[in-house]
Amino acid sequence: MQIWNWHGFFMYLGSGFIFRGALVTLMLTVFATCAGFVLGTVVAVMKRSRHKGLSLPARFYIWLFRGTPLLVQLIIIYTGLPKFGIRLDVTTAALIGLSLNEAAYLAEIIRAGLDAVSPGQIAAARALGLEEGQIARYITFPQALRIIVPPLGNSVNGLLKTTSITSVISMEELLRRAQLLVQEHFMVLELFTVTAIYYLAMTSAWDMIQRRLENYVNRPYQRTATPVLLEPEANIAVTS
Amino acid sequence: MSYLEFRNVQASYGTNPILLGVDLDIEKGEIVSLIGPSGSGKSTMLRVLIGLTPLSGGEIRLEGKPIDYATKAGLRAVRSRMAMVFQSFGLFDHLTVEQNLLLAPTVVGKKKRAPLLEEMHEVLRLTDMQGHDGKRPPQLSGGQKQRIAIARALMLHPEILLMDEPTSALDPIRIAAMSDLFGKLAAQGVTIIQVSHNMDVVRSLSDRIVLMHDGRIAATASPKRDQDDNAAIARFMAAEAHQA
Ligand SMILES: Nc1ncnc2c1ncn2[C@@H]1O[C@H](COP(=O)(O)OP(=O)(O)OP(=O)(O)O)[C@@H](O)[C@H]1O
Ligand SMILES: [Mg+2]
């Protein structure tokens, strides 16, 4: 038996089956990040609220989803919910599970970002006559984003790999498809090397995007900052 | 009827009572200086007036009408007539000086940018901060930040200007220049309520000095009219001047 089969390696590298699995991994990651960010923002804002009716449910949510393994959450969503008459296909269950889980982690990251904006700036903004929505838009969020983006990047990198856990409910993402192919020719090393290359390609691509994001949110802090924030708004103000 | 009337004004943080019933009448164009020991409620007076800290009793009347702090419209109305310079400046760190100065006039005041830029340069000249419009607050010295905070308030053309220790970070020459500016604003009818620990500024600038103690007004004096300052105020000012 050969140690390494180059023919098999290139066959898997060019495999459309594996490539489409990687696309599924990518899709799961992008969706769960976006949905998790939106839901995480809501949970973070709720958790910071002075009203117990808002902050307690948010605390409970974070406690629950960070305190249990994603694997368990996925199995409960996929096999448990049908017992209550909620039937989900594999993809929907995977998307929901990943998004709910990601939201809990992102909520803590976003909350830390929002907390980093000094109360003095919020008071000053109120005194200037800005309303709460305007304060969030012009003061809190732009400053919070700068704090949020680096840990958000780590979270997305982790999520790219964590999506492989959805294979337990037979979601056909990259890892699951590799496992399926193993049974065909038993070229385990070649196949999983290809799988590793796909993950590396995706995490490397994300690293590049993250660097750009960081530059973008840091742009107001660079020395030669050009006024970017007020220009379009001033135009809106003129026409309204 | 006075221009601005505090009637038995009370305020508390949580269950901690801070203002215990303040009565004060202020006339239009007056410069009123709040003095008193640390924690006596001077900053809270300003915060209550601009609606950042809620009243727990009493009322404040502006031109005879009670200010309505409970509704959005009421708050908007009162804040559109006042501006505040904060003890810790409250500048927006992620925005340039220009953006700090133009944010409220464009977003709240819905004014056009081009004429505002002209105004901004004028205000920066008045505060001796011309040429700094592209910088962000973290790149400024303490005294420069303070003058930008004053400039930002001036951009609002307030009828009532609230300033919490507005010269605390300034050098003597800048203090004199700013005092001069405040005097001119008052002469144009702007009512100024300032908190200050600088007794020279207080003495030379104030139409009225209000000594706060433990959430109450302990004494008032009008240095420009009365020859003999109120004894309690004279004592406090002498002690403060001695400290400085
Ligand atoms: N956000 C807050 N929460 C709770 N207590 C507060 C808060 N802000 C002020 N206080 C309390 O209210 C009291 C009055 O505070 P205030 O800031 O009005 O004092 P001050 O006269 O301005 O003092 P200083 O000269 O030190 O600025 C103090 O005892 C202070 O501890
Ligand atoms: Mg104070």
Side-chain angles (χ1 to χ4, degrees), chain B residues 73-113:
Chain B
L75 262 184
R76 198 179 309 140
V78 62
R79 285 177 179 164
S80 72
R81 303 175 70 172
M82 297 181 190
M84 178 153 171
V85 177
F86 286 81
Q87 197 166 0
S88 51
F89 315 138
L91 296 176
F92 307 128
D93 286 343
H94 64 306
L95 300 182
T96 60
V97 164
E98 175 180 322
Q99 291 169 327
N100 267 278
L101 265 55
L102 297 197
L103 182 68
T106 50
V107 171
V108 182
K110 309 252 183 269
K111 290 194 199 160
K112 289 186 191 177
R113 198 180 135 83

Side-chain angles (χ1 to χ4, degrees), chain A residues 126 131 138 143 220-222, chain B residues 76 79 90 94 99 136:
Chain A
R126 287 198 183 120
E131 291 178 3
Y138 293 109
Q143 292 186 74
Y221 294 82
Q222 265 126 37
Chain B
R76 198 179 309 140
R79 285 177 179 164
H94 64 306
Q99 291 169 327
R136 275 169 298 95

